[in-house]
Amino acid sequence: MKIGILALQGDFAEHNAILEHLGVETRQVRLPAQLESLDGLIIPGGESTTIGKLAEDYQLIEPIRKFSKTGAIWGTCAGAILLSKDARRTQPLLGLMDITVERNAFGRQVESFEIDIEVPVLQEFYPQNGQTFHAVFIRAPLIESVDGTARILASLPDGRIIAAQQRKLLATSFHPELTPDDRFHRYFLTLVSK
Ligand code: GLN
């Protein structure tokens, strides 16, 4: 199994470190040819407009869309925005998931926060690993709505959606790569091997 990490901007190194710790072969992706022979791709957090524009400049948008037909893709924070079909403003998007996101829904950088959340699918897959997941939100987006065949994976206590899945596509508005809990990465690997 080989997982690519889109390494145009943002916290790709943190994803890389967790995957290597899990013994997974990784490759940083900056060019279309580097998508070849990958089984999964992670789009990290960062700044979604910047990542989108760079992906356009490097002619990665169509190749990533094509990759999604067979490979699994996970977007964290800015990566989740890129996966969405609608971010309510004009910016380059992959438009692969039937989710609408609201960027910076919690306000500015200083309004970043951390909270323990319930993620039923993780509790189901890893019942021995404790219950809640410590979620780090940094100028995070909200998943405003989930349509089509996409489904909700996690919500805040007030019901606002923060994680969704559609087939082998995964979107989290927080950053599992910034905590030592590797359950989300392991869950993604189960989608990769599907
Ligand atoms: N605020 C960023 C955006 O809208 C996302 C922040 C992040 O990835 N931590 O693109």
Side-chain angles (χ1 to χ4, degrees):
M1 184 193 284
K2 199 184 285 179
I3 308 291
I5 303 161
L6 192 64
L8 300 174
Q9 189 263 340
D11 72 339
F12 51 87
E14 284 76 1
H15 278 292
N16 211 86
I18 295 194
L19 291 176
E20 280 181 2
H21 185 71
L22 288 170
V24 177
E25 203 181 329
T26 61
R27 180 195 293 153
Q28 298 194 358
V29 173
R30 296 186 179 83
L31 299 168
Q34 292 167 330
L35 290 167
E36 254 162 56
S37 76
L38 293 179
D39 306 293
L41 178 71
I42 292 181
I43 306 176
E47 215 287 318
S48 60
T49 313
T50 307
I51 298 176
K53 283 185 178 157
L54 289 170
E56 274 186 341
D57 289 350
Y58 294 144
Q59 298 179 358
L60 276 159
I61 300 277
E62 277 313 317
I64 293 175
R65 287 183 181 143
K66 199 167 152 220
F67 176 80
S68 75
K69 296 195 193 310
T70 50
I73 308 183
W74 175 20
T76 58
C77 204
I81 296 167
L82 282 155
L83 282 176
S84 75
K85 65 172 182 193
D86 186 358
R88 297 201 175 280
R89 52 173 111 176
T90 311
Q91 67 180 82
L93 296 176
L94 293 163
L96 291 170
M97 284 184 78
D98 292 324
I99 57 173
T100 298
V101 298
E102 183 192 347
R103 285 183 63 184
N104 307 327
F106 301 96
R108 291 140 40 101
Q109 196 86 12
V110 290
E111 265 105 32
S112 297
F113 63 101
E114 304 185 11
I115 184 176
D116 290 332
I117 55 162
E118 301 279 341
V119 187
V121 78
L122 293 187
Q123 287 163 14
E124 186 188 313
F125 273 64
Y126 312 105
Q128 70 284 10
N129 277 66
Q131 297 304 308
T132 53
F133 190 90
H134 190 70
V136 178
F137 292 82
I138 304 171
R139 250 188 128 216
L142 259 182
I143 302 175
E144 225 177 79
S145 62
V146 166
D147 331 278
T149 53
R151 64 186 177 109
I152 299 169
L153 282 193
S155 307
L156 287 171
D158 64 10
R160 290 181 293 172
I161 306 163
I162 50 172
Q165 181 182 337
Q166 187 166 19
R167 295 184 305 111
K168 291 164 78 161
L169 305 175
L170 190 60
T172 54
S173 59
F174 47 95
H175 292 272
E177 72 279 18
L178 296 183
T179 55
D181 189 340
D182 58 15
R183 282 178 293 166
F184 249 109
H185 286 79
R186 283 190 280 147
Y187 179 64
F188 177 62
L189 298 179
T190 69
L191 301 183
V192 173
S193 12
K194 265 192 184 170

